Amino acid sequence: MIELTVDNFENEVINKDLVLVDWWGESCENCLAMMPAIENLANEYGEKIPFTKFNTSQKKVRRFCIQHKVLGLPVVSIYKNGEKVDEVAKDDVTRENVEAMIQKYI
């Protein structure tokens, strides 16, 4: 999985055809609990869709997250041709829901 920052987001997400972004935070227990499932999905589907993750606990990223409509965690988004086209958020972030979302786009 590619670690995203504000500096590489455009190159790794916006300039790509199809990308999954796992928005997570260091103090988000649900994010940390989902991490192994997301990594397993990356192993399964990583050849068909790039998996990336953005640590929202980085310094000075609050405004950036708001611009991308990430207002609570966890959030898993699909970007297609630079636009967010789908996401699951908060209690809906389960392995099953993320996998179903992936399968819609690959």
Side-chain angles (χ1 to χ4, degrees):
M1 290 181 68
I2 297 168
E3 294 278 346
L4 296 173
T5 65
V6 171
D7 294 332
N8 72 356
F9 193 88
E10 184 172 346
N11 191 48
E12 297 295 341
V13 177
I14 303 302
N15 294 337
K16 303 288 182 177
D17 294 334
L18 189 66
V19 179
L20 179 141
V21 179
D22 176 18
W23 301 87
W24 69 283
E26 294 169 3
S27 61
C28 171
E29 291 180 18
N30 290 338
C31 298
L32 298 174
M34 276 303 298
M35 216 171 265
I38 300 292
E39 289 170 359
N40 286 340
L41 289 168
N43 290 334
E44 275 185 58
Y45 295 99
E47 291 184 19
K48 296 178 181 178
I49 180 172
F51 278 65
T52 64
K53 56 185 178 177
F54 190 99
N55 181 352
T56 61
S57 301
Q58 299 172 68
K59 291 184 180 192
K60 299 183 180 181
V61 298
R62 182 167 187 214
R63 194 171 274 140
F64 181 83
C65 292
I66 291 169
Q67 288 172 341
H68 287 274
K69 296 180 175 60
V70 175
L71 307 175
L73 295 175
V75 174
V76 178
S77 307
I78 300 277
Y79 284 76
K80 187 171 183 177
N81 299 318
E83 298 290 327
K84 186 189 297 187
V85 294
D86 210 343
E87 77 177 16
V88 291
K90 300 186 182 182
D91 291 340
D92 292 333
V93 178
T94 64
R95 186 190 196 288
E96 295 77 19
N97 288 346
V98 173
E99 185 170 24
M101 180 177 65
I102 292 167
Q103 289 179 348
K104 287 194 275 185
Y105 297 95
I106 58 170

